[in-house]
Amino acid sequence: MLSVPPTNGVMESVRKPHAVLTGRQLDILGQLARCLVNREIARALFIGEATRKTHLARIHDKLGVDTRAGAVLATEEQRPIP
């Protein structure tokens, strides 16, 4: 039997179906869902852009995604973003 390699993080999201995100990470995702750009997110949450970048990298790792849109979609599948 041939096995098909996982594509675009699909298998990774199956392995981590219920990633636990911190409150701040959920805040970041909420801003992403509103289509804010990086500078606007940092300003809205009173954090530096480097801090926002770190939060987003950890969100990507936890959810097993590679893009901002993927992070929002993965989270909305688990529960709606406020």
Side-chain angles (χ1 to χ4, degrees):
M1 292 193 340
L2 296 173
S3 65
V4 178
T7 59
N8 204 16
V10 172
M11 290 306 293
E12 185 67 22
S13 65
V14 170
R15 284 186 223 125
K16 298 179 184 179
H18 298 290
V20 178
L21 300 176
T22 67
R24 186 51 112 187
Q25 290 168 343
L26 290 172
D27 292 343
I28 299 283
L29 281 169
Q31 300 302 314
L32 289 176
R34 291 177 180 86
C35 299
L36 296 181
V37 296
N38 295 339
R39 182 172 285 154
E40 293 170 328
I41 293 170
R43 194 175 304 140
L45 298 177
F46 303 103
I47 59 176
E49 289 186 56
T51 301
R52 188 254 350 128
K53 184 177 180 179
T54 300
H55 283 303
L56 191 54
R58 290 183 180 150
I59 290 167
H60 285 178
D61 287 344
K62 286 183 178 183
L63 296 177
V65 298
D66 296 328
T67 65
R68 296 160 57 116
V72 172
L73 288 173
T75 305
E76 286 182 346
E77 288 174 1
Q78 292 179 18
R79 63 179 166 207
I81 296 174

